[in-house]
Structure formats: structure tokens, C-alpha cells
Amino acid sequence: MSPKIVSLSEEVRQALSHREPVVALESTIIAHGLPRPRNLEVATEFESTLRDQGVVPATIAILDGVAHIGLNSEQLDRVANDDTIRKFGYRDLAIAAGTRASGATTVSATAALARQAGIDVFATGGLGGVHRDWTVAQDESADLDVLSRTRITVVCSGVKSILDVDATLQRLETLNVGVVGYRTDTFPGFYLHSSGHDIDWTVDSPDVIAAIMRAQIEYGDNGALVVGNPVATQLQLDPQLHERVLTAGLEAARTDGISGQDVTPYLLSYLVEHTSGASLEANLAAVRGNVALAGEIATAYVRSI
Ligand code: PSU
Ligand code: MN
């Protein structure tokens, strides 16, 4: 018999079978989005935040070909500190299983695995999207395609501000992915409270989001629901510093010939370095808020079904 390629932790399995709230967390942000040693500290912190709310965290990663839904502390440590951990999108999952490879999961891979496990809510920092040099490189994150055909509620602070936000919002519209702002009428700007782009829908409670989720099922809507939850203005990165350092980072990425999967981690770490850590604090503040809201949504949803 072939080995099992998906493994739910006992805690996650129990919670799902008792219809208790579960929130999926991705691991690319831990392995490739945040510097050590903060990455492990905050990965642990996000799990505690959920547990304090009575929600079971399900951090997802691929270890030796097996997709783990819910990691123990040793596995989390490995994701945070092992240099051989790769970055896996959805298309890599089957290949990683067949070759027994290990990697962190991006939004695309995490969303698909969470859906398959029966998890309805997922928290991250910022989604991937259309890169600014799309006309030259055609770099559009695989996150968008998966979100167009995976019913899951993704709580995020918009898309990463290193991207072409306008083009990404257009693509989300074309792909029929629902987008709502949580207590805001502009799309969040990842490190910034607002990207400056208006959005069509504002919601102000987890109960309303739960109602939307139930309606998606009734309509047979198999796309994601993106909940844009902005970082508080007091905790955002200074917009002028953001603009200046991002322009320099995009130029540096070009000069260094960075492409494909490496672009996003390169730019995120460039920003951390050249803002003396201020972008890291804004990124973490954003994710913190998203994890907490995802916990509230998961709780409201299970109570409502
Ligand atoms: N949000 C963050 N930091 C990150 C990411 C999201 O705050 O590092 C990751 C997610 O895993 C997302 C990925 O799926 O960046 C996008 O990478 P790419 O642009 O190569 O698709
Ligand atoms: Mn890409």
C-alpha cells in the first residue's frame, strides 16, 4: 500500500469531527517571509492567540512528502529553522509527495490543503498577486488561480504592497473571487492601512462573514472569500518610507536578476533590512490582527451551522 500523503494532527482531527472552530495558517511566511528567530516566536504566538480564543490552529507544511495539517512543536521548529525547507505552491504538492520532499506551503497550497481537510477559514499576511513588471515577466502568483476554485475564507491585509495592487484587484474580479473589507471601504495595503483602492463591500462583523460563507455553499460558489483586514494606522509602516524603500528594492531585484519564486522573499527581506525592521513590525501587526479575526470568524461560523 502506498504511504499516506496527508496527515491531520490528532487535535485538528478531533476539532473537525466535533465541529469546533479551526483556523489554517500557512508556513511560507514562517520559512521564507520572516527572519529568524522571530519567525518561530511569532508562529508559536499565532497558535497561542487562536488557542486562547478556543480555536484550534492548523499550521500546514509538507515534511518528507507528507502534508501535515497541524504541526507539533518539533515540526514547527523544523519549518522555521531548517535551511532545506523549500517553498511549495499548489502545483508542487503532488510532486513533493511523490519525491518525499519538504517545503513550506504558500497561500495556494495551504488553501487547497485546508479545503481538502474541511477547514473553512485561513489567516495570512498578504496574498500573492500580479507583479509590477507583469508585462515583461508575466509573474502572477498561483494564489489567485487556486482562490478562484477553492471555497475558503482568507483573512489577509490585502495583497503584498510589492505587487501591482490595481491589476491584482482586476484579476480577482475576473476570477470571481469575492472581496470584502472588514470595517474599511478601501482595500488594505499590507504594510499600510490602505492601498488607496476602493472596494465594493464593507462588512463589520464575523456573523455577517459567516452568513456570506453559508450563502456561498447554497449557491455552489466554489471560490474563496477574501476578507481584507487592515493593519491599524498607528501600527502601519510610514507610507513615505515604504514608497522610498520599495522603489529601491524593486530596482535591486532587477539588478540582482531575481525571478520566479524568489521575488517575494527577496523584496520582503529587502524591506526589513532597509527600514531597520519597521516593515517587519508592520507585517507582524497585520498578521496578528488577521489571525485574531480569523479565529472570531471560525467561531461565528461553526456556531451558525
Ligand atoms: N504573507 C506574508 N508573508 C509571506 C507570504 C504572505 O505576510 O511571505 C507568502 C504567502 O505564502 C504567499 C506567497 O502565498 O508569499 C506569495 O509568493 P509568490 O508571490 O511567489 O506566489
Ligand atoms: Mn511568482
Side-chain angles (χ1 to χ4, degrees):
M1 209 180 76
S2 55
K4 200 165 68 143
I5 59 170
V6 178
S7 166
L8 271 65
S9 72
E10 186 53 27
E11 187 189 22
V12 169
R13 202 186 55 73
Q14 290 267 353
L16 290 171
S17 70
H18 295 115
R19 290 199 175 200
E20 283 158 12
V22 177
V23 167
L25 300 169
E26 56 141 320
S27 49
T28 293
I29 179 167
I30 305 169
H32 305 291
L34 300 169
R36 296 174 191 156
R38 280 299 283 288
N39 61 345
L40 181 58
E41 286 164 28
V42 299
T44 310
E45 177 201 319
F46 298 151
E47 294 202 346
S48 308
T49 302
L50 291 169
R51 287 207 174 87
D52 291 347
Q53 290 177 286
V55 175
V56 171
T59 305
I60 296 180
I62 314 299
L63 298 171
D64 309 309
V66 177
H68 289 272
I69 320 286
L71 303 180
N72 62 33
S73 53
E74 254 162 77
Q75 293 168 329
L76 202 57
D77 188 288
R78 185 168 164 203
V79 169
N81 292 313
D82 183 341
D83 285 328
T84 66
I85 294 287
R86 295 171 52 174
K87 173 177 166 182
F88 292 155
Y90 175 74
R91 70 170 183 166
D92 301 308
L93 293 176
I95 304 174
T99 61
R100 310 277 179 92
S102 300
T105 51
T106 65
V107 168
S108 70
T110 311
L113 289 167
R115 173 73 280 146
Q116 202 187 14
I119 301 171
D120 297 294
V121 184
F122 167 23
T124 183
L127 302 179
V130 181
H131 283 261
R132 292 178 187 220
D133 61 348
W134 188 87
T135 50
V136 179
Q138 279 82 56
D139 187 352
E140 172 183 326
S141 177
D143 292 355
L144 300 188
D145 171 67
V146 170
L147 294 179
S148 75
R149 54 194 170 81
T150 306
R151 183 176 53 76
I152 191 153
T153 296
V154 187
V155 185
C156 59
S157 298
V159 300
K160 281 182 280 279
S161 55
I162 58 174
L163 302 168
D164 183 336
V165 178
D166 226 345
T168 306
L169 283 168
Q170 288 297 333
R171 287 291 292 148
L172 287 167
E173 180 181 349
T174 303
L175 293 166
N176 283 300
V177 177
V179 177
V180 299
Y182 189 73
R183 299 183 179 167
T184 182
D185 54 12
T186 65
F187 197 51
F190 188 54
Y191 298 123
L192 305 178
H193 178 78
S194 173
S195 66
H197 298 271
D198 290 340
I199 41 174
D200 298 334
W201 297 96
T202 301
V203 296
D204 61 7
S205 79
D207 289 324
V208 174
I209 296 168
I212 297 170
M213 292 165 67
R214 296 194 307 274
Q216 280 187 312
I217 295 176
E218 273 209 56
Y219 277 126
D221 177 349
N222 286 318
L225 175 66
V226 171
V227 177
N229 182 38
V231 65
T233 314
Q234 318 85 270
L235 299 175
Q236 73 175 352
L237 185 61
D238 170 26
Q240 277 161 13
L241 178 65
H242 174 264
E243 182 59 38
R244 184 156 42 82
V245 177
L246 180 55
T247 305
L250 292 164
E251 186 54 42
R254 240 189 319 274
T255 318
D256 289 355
I258 308 298
S259 66
Q261 280 200 328
D262 299 332
V263 175
T264 297
Y266 177 95
L267 287 171
L268 295 182
S269 65
Y270 185 97
L271 270 124
V272 174
E273 195 185 322
H274 293 83
T275 62
S276 316
S279 76
L280 174 60
E281 297 312 319
N283 189 352
L284 291 180
V287 186
R288 236 175 233 128
N290 298 338
V291 170
L293 178 58
E296 291 175 37
I297 294 169
T299 304
Y301 182 69
V302 296
R303 282 192 190 137
S304 75
I305 51 174

